[in-house]
Amino acid sequence: MTHPEFIDDKALRTAADRVFEALQDAIVRGDIPPGSRVGETELAERYGTSRGPLREALRRLESRRLVERTPHVGIRIAALGHAALIELYYLREALEGMAARLAALHMTAAEVAGLKTLLAAHEADAALQADTAYFQQEGDFDFHYRVIQGSHNSTLTELLIGELYHRIRMYRYQFSAYANRPRKAFAEHQRIVEAIETRDGDLAEMLMRRHISSARQNIEKHLKENA
């Protein structure tokens, strides 16, 4: 016999999962802008849920550093200052360049094939074809995540897929929509995969560094234009 409290707990988790995924996508896509303040009542109405699932979803988002909760102030969507964001991109350029080099040396044939399949799925996305956005789901659906995992270097993976991963994802997506960046970024991903497949570590590192440097320059240009 199933206890009622188990059913309630399962229902709560299911509702929290739905709200969590919807909120995370809204934050990553910029539908709820970085730094903006949000209220529980507003969010509960927006996502058609009760306070219990919403609070569970917010706790999960807080653990991913996508929202910040301040006593007597409320909930705010996480934001990086301009200087901190640019510093982070310089760090990404160096570390993800190394990840691409190691991926060229250590990725298995199956992992490379999976990376190519992933890009084929990305290419079919209507927003990418229209050159308006390049949205990648998290984890194994994320090109950068796959390359980092493919380095087979646990220390590097921990550094790059840690607490800042989801915040970086947010800025990657939001700034990819500027200056015809989506198709260009996708083409850069394709060249990186080609270098990894041919086991050319030097080329893979150079292409990844150039890819992230180009993204950083795009961000700097946008920030300057909107200063």
Side-chain angles (χ1 to χ4, degrees):
M1 180 177 177
T2 303
H3 294 290
E5 60 269 23
F6 176 78
I7 296 174
D8 291 343
D9 184 56
K10 184 177 179 181
L12 174 62
R13 289 200 307 272
T14 302
D17 289 343
R18 176 183 63 79
V19 177
F20 167 75
E21 289 169 7
L23 260 172
Q24 179 172 256
D25 276 359
I27 292 169
V28 170
R29 291 174 183 269
D31 297 336
I32 308 177
S36 60
R37 190 175 298 172
V38 292
E40 287 189 4
T41 301
E42 168 198 346
L43 292 175
E45 291 176 355
R46 179 171 179 171
Y47 293 100
T49 189
S50 60
R51 291 292 182 91
L54 175 64
R55 286 173 177 166
E56 173 60 27
L58 288 171
R59 278 193 292 270
R60 291 167 63 182
L61 290 167
E62 192 173 6
S63 73
R64 292 191 168 190
R65 312 257 324 253
L66 286 176
V67 302
E68 300 165 347
R69 193 189 301 269
T70 306
H72 311 298
V73 174
I75 304 160
R76 188 184 297 274
I77 305 304
L80 286 173
H82 294 174
L85 180 60
I86 297 305
E87 284 181 2
L88 190 57
Y89 265 75
Y90 275 113
L91 186 63
R92 281 189 65 209
E93 183 181 334
L95 294 181
E96 290 198 41
M98 178 57 67
R101 170 185 287 275
L102 293 174
L105 300 177
H106 301 303
M107 259 187 149
T108 66
E111 286 174 322
V112 174
L115 201 53
K116 293 171 72 175
T117 300
L118 177 68
L119 286 190
H122 287 177
E123 190 171 23
D125 183 76
L128 178 61
Q129 290 180 0
D131 206 19
T132 56
Y134 185 3
F135 179 69
Q136 302 175 65
Q137 297 288 345
E138 64 181 293
D140 285 339
F141 299 99
D142 178 357
F143 172 80
H144 288 267
Y145 184 97
R146 285 279 192 99
V147 172
I148 293 163
Q149 293 278 32
S151 72
H152 291 216
N153 184 297
S154 58
T155 303
L156 193 57
T157 300
E158 186 178 348
L159 287 169
L160 289 169
I161 307 177
E163 64 180 23
L164 285 175
Y165 168 70
H166 296 283
R167 209 182 290 191
I168 291 171
R169 236 183 106 234
M170 174 174 69
Y171 285 100
R172 274 173 41 201
Y173 172 75
Q174 292 176 25
F175 284 103
S176 75
Y178 293 100
N180 300 315
R181 179 69 187 156
R183 290 294 304 179
K184 183 180 178 183
F186 178 78
E188 291 167 2
H189 284 180
Q190 288 181 309
R191 288 193 289 273
I192 292 166
V193 173
E194 289 167 4
I196 290 173
E197 187 174 29
T198 59
R199 306 302 180 184
D200 191 333
D202 288 343
L203 181 59
E205 179 173 8
M206 183 196 74
L207 290 172
M208 181 63 86
R209 290 183 68 112
R210 185 180 293 170
H211 170 63
I212 295 174
S213 175
S214 179
R216 173 181 50 76
Q217 290 170 31
N218 184 50
I219 291 172
E220 288 177 321
K221 179 183 177 184
H222 175 74
L223 294 177
K224 185 176 181 179
E225 289 173 349
N226 290 272

